[in-house]
Amino acid sequence: MPVPVPRQRAIPAAESGQAHAVSHHGGTTRASTEALTGAPRTAGQAENITDRARTAPGRAETTAHTNLTLLLIEDDPAGSPIVPDLLDQTGKPIRVRTARNLTEAERLLTDDVHCILLDLALPAPGRARSADNGAGDDGHGDDDHDELAVLKHVLELAPRHAVLALTASGDAERGAEAVRVGAQDYLFRDELDGRLLSRAIRYAVERKRSDSAERRLAEGRVRAQENRRLERGLLPTPLLEGSSLRFAARYRPGRSRALLGGDFYDVVRTSDGTVHAMIGDVCGHGPDEAALGVELRIAWRALTLAGLCGDQLLGTLQQVLEHERADDEIFATLCTVDIAPDGRRAGLCLAGHPSPLLARPGFPARLLPYDNNGPALGLLPGARWPRMQVELGAEWSLMLYTDGLIEGRVGESGERLGQDGMVEMVRRQLALGLRGEELLQAAVNEVRELNGGELTDDVAVLLLDRAV
């Protein structure tokens, strides 16, 4: 069955650019009233009128400078008190579109409509359909018993638009209920004039903008809080129960307002008393890299607790990275250390990562050997990562770090701090008696100061101490 085309009233003079060309009589022009209450036209005729108003010489300029557009939804044009002389705060005319029913309103509800003026006396959608079908009251549904069903339908249809409810004089209770449901304000039909309506439209639009901005702000805060809780929960909790080693760590993601970056670290003690420490860095700084870093850390912990270490462990981690990365060019550097139960020696594996720093009483801090440094994970299929045995001594501090700590700039020269600069910095701080958390905090702060501000790369540093 062909769908009937809804009838559309003539475009008001205020929309077609003719409002100022008509003389006034008592605040309402005859021509303007005819424009609002004139004979119905077909949808095609109405669109042609709109097109001519926008393109006709002398009218396009007026339309182009219009700031606000009002959509009036009302099925009794002859009884409408709406005056067309509506002006925004700059004195420019407010365009008016009219719709007899919700079907027409949905067609006219384009992005340039700012406010909707809805007659609450309109029948609810369910009633109109039931009347067409000849159904009785039992077939109308719950909307028949809801005086604001038409308003709720419009609010669902236009959630981003300001809505003004139009009701009969003395029906303030219904108007107030409309505001509670979601309208920005309500107006009495027989007390309306152009000045009042213009002010109400401006108020409703600004209130809707304010409400929308406040809602977006609140939603953003909730998302930020959820993200922080999620990221905080993804940071590791060291498993060192039963070990005499002391642990400290500092973590600073390079992403703005983030708690988690592409750097990752972890420390666990296995049942044989060996302490395993790891630190790594996924190339890049976005949320995808942060997620991949978490996956690699969790995989490392599971594999370590399952008894893997050295080359076998790193080879399995490379398989995890290859399956989880979003791009074949993504890689990760890694440093793993397994400290013997007596605490005097350790095994070291490097996958494209800077070598740890070892500090012992009576000796200057130095970097551990990195001659057998293997490739970063994800670069070479079938790569190998030899495990080096290193002597730690009876009392020591072992610092693992990511390249964010050494790639900051130094002063106006623009040179990077580098590993040599970092070693000298740590030696100086150790000489001042700094240890543990204080040492790491001082190191990160000094690197930031040398860089002249925040570091753009993620920074992760962990420290293991053994005291006699």
Side-chain angles (χ1 to χ4, degrees):
M1 175 180 292
V3 178
V5 177
R7 294 185 298 173
Q8 169 66 29
R9 278 184 283 177
I11 303 299
E15 178 169 352
S16 63
Q18 297 175 340
H20 295 290
V22 184
S23 59
H24 290 260
H25 296 283
T28 304
T29 66
R30 179 180 178 182
S32 299
T33 304
E34 290 174 353
L36 276 171
T37 63
R41 299 176 184 266
T42 66
Q45 290 173 325
E47 290 172 352
N48 290 336
I49 291 175
T50 304
D51 292 339
R52 288 198 300 271
R54 291 174 177 171
T55 59
R59 297 177 183 177
E61 182 177 358
T62 303
T63 303
H65 288 287
T66 300
N67 283 350
L68 297 176
T69 299
L70 173 72
L71 175 59
L72 169 64
I73 308 176
E74 191 215 12
D75 66 349
D76 185 16
S80 173
I82 308 302
V83 294
D85 300 330
L86 304 177
L87 304 177
D88 63 15
Q89 64 271 25
T90 64
K92 297 174 183 177
I94 297 176
R95 297 174 56 185
V96 179
R97 296 178 183 173
T98 58
R100 291 176 178 273
N101 51 52
L102 296 181
T103 302
E104 288 188 29
E106 186 171 1
R107 181 176 62 83
L108 295 175
L109 193 60
T110 53
D111 290 339
D112 59 339
V113 172
H114 300 88
C115 185
I116 298 171
L117 180 59
L118 174 65
D119 187 356
L120 296 181
L122 276 175
R127 291 180 181 178
R129 288 192 296 269
S130 298
D132 292 341
N133 296 332
D137 289 343
D138 293 340
H140 293 164
D142 294 338
D143 285 348
D144 283 344
H145 305 289
D146 187 351
E147 293 183 345
L148 298 178
V150 65
L151 172 62
K152 295 176 181 178
H153 185 84
V154 169
L155 292 174
E156 292 179 0
L157 187 66
R160 297 188 302 272
H161 292 75
V163 177
L164 289 171
L166 189 62
T167 187
S169 178
D171 198 2
E173 183 176 350
R174 189 179 187 186
E177 182 63 24
V179 173
R180 285 192 289 270
V181 168
Q184 272 60 59
D185 204 348
Y186 69 92
L187 302 168
F188 294 135
R189 185 182 296 106
D190 54 354
E191 296 180 6
L192 204 60
D193 58 31
R195 185 175 180 181
L196 173 63
L197 179 56
S198 297
R199 186 168 62 248
I201 292 171
R202 296 196 300 269
Y203 168 78
V205 170
E206 292 305 320
R207 181 176 177 182
K208 184 65 176 181
R209 288 173 180 169
S210 176
D211 291 344
S212 299
E214 186 175 350
R215 183 178 65 255
R216 288 194 299 270
L217 181 61
E219 291 173 352
R221 287 172 177 167
V222 171
R223 285 195 299 270
Q225 292 171 357
E226 291 176 348
N227 290 340
R228 288 190 180 95
R229 285 196 295 269
L230 176 61
E231 293 182 355
R232 193 173 291 113
L234 293 174
L235 290 173
T237 301
L239 298 179
L240 284 173
E241 185 177 358
S243 173
S244 61
L245 300 184
R246 293 176 299 183
F247 168 84
R250 297 294 298 177
Y251 191 94
R252 293 180 64 89
R255 288 189 296 138
S256 176
R257 296 185 297 275
L259 294 179
L260 199 63
D263 290 2
F264 54 99
Y265 67 89
D266 205 351
V267 178
V268 298
R269 180 179 182 269
T270 52
S271 58
D272 63 355
T274 303
V275 173
H276 303 261
M278 171 271 291
I279 196 164
D281 182 2
V282 177
C283 66
H285 311 291
D288 292 338
E289 289 76 11
L292 182 56
V294 172
E295 291 179 279
L296 292 175
R297 180 187 67 78
I298 294 174
W300 177 88
R301 174 175 285 200
L303 294 170
T304 299
L305 292 175
L308 275 67
C309 67
D311 185 74
Q312 187 180 12
L313 172 59
L314 292 176
T316 307
L317 285 178
Q318 173 158 282
Q319 294 180 30
V320 173
L321 182 145
E322 291 171 346
H323 283 88
E324 297 297 331
R325 63 186 177 184
D327 190 285
D328 290 343
E329 296 183 356
I330 293 178
F331 62 90
T333 66
L334 198 69
C335 167
T336 67
V337 175
D338 54 279
I339 303 169
D342 63 7
R344 289 179 168 271
R345 60 189 184 279
L348 171 65
C349 286
L350 297 175
H353 200 89
S355 183
L357 180 146
L358 176 65
R360 295 187 295 173
F363 298 90
R366 63 179 179 88
L367 297 176
L368 291 180
Y370 51 89
D371 297 337
N372 291 326
N373 196 340
L377 303 181
L379 290 183
L380 299 176
R384 302 298 299 271
W385 296 271
R387 177 176 176 273
M388 297 173 285
Q389 188 76 19
V390 295
E391 296 295 328
L392 300 177
E395 186 174 355
W396 47 264
S397 295
L398 187 65
M399 189 175 82
L400 284 65
Y401 54 93
T402 57
D403 58 8
L405 189 69
I406 60 177
E407 291 189 350
R409 304 292 178 176
V410 180
E412 298 179 356
S413 65
E415 296 181 0
R416 297 191 183 277
L417 175 64
Q419 287 180 287
D420 292 339
M422 181 204 66
V423 172
E424 291 298 326
M425 177 186 69
V426 173
R427 286 176 178 174
R428 185 174 62 257
Q429 293 168 345
L430 287 171
L432 296 174
L434 299 179
R435 298 291 186 273
E437 290 279 0
E438 291 184 350
L439 175 63
L440 298 188
Q441 181 67 53
V444 173
N445 288 344
E446 184 168 340
V447 169
R448 289 179 60 248
E449 292 173 3
L450 293 173
N451 190 61
E454 284 294 343
L455 301 167
T456 58
D457 198 3
D458 304 327
V459 177
V461 192
L462 69 87
L463 189 68
L464 291 171
D465 292 303
R466 183 174 189 268
V468 179

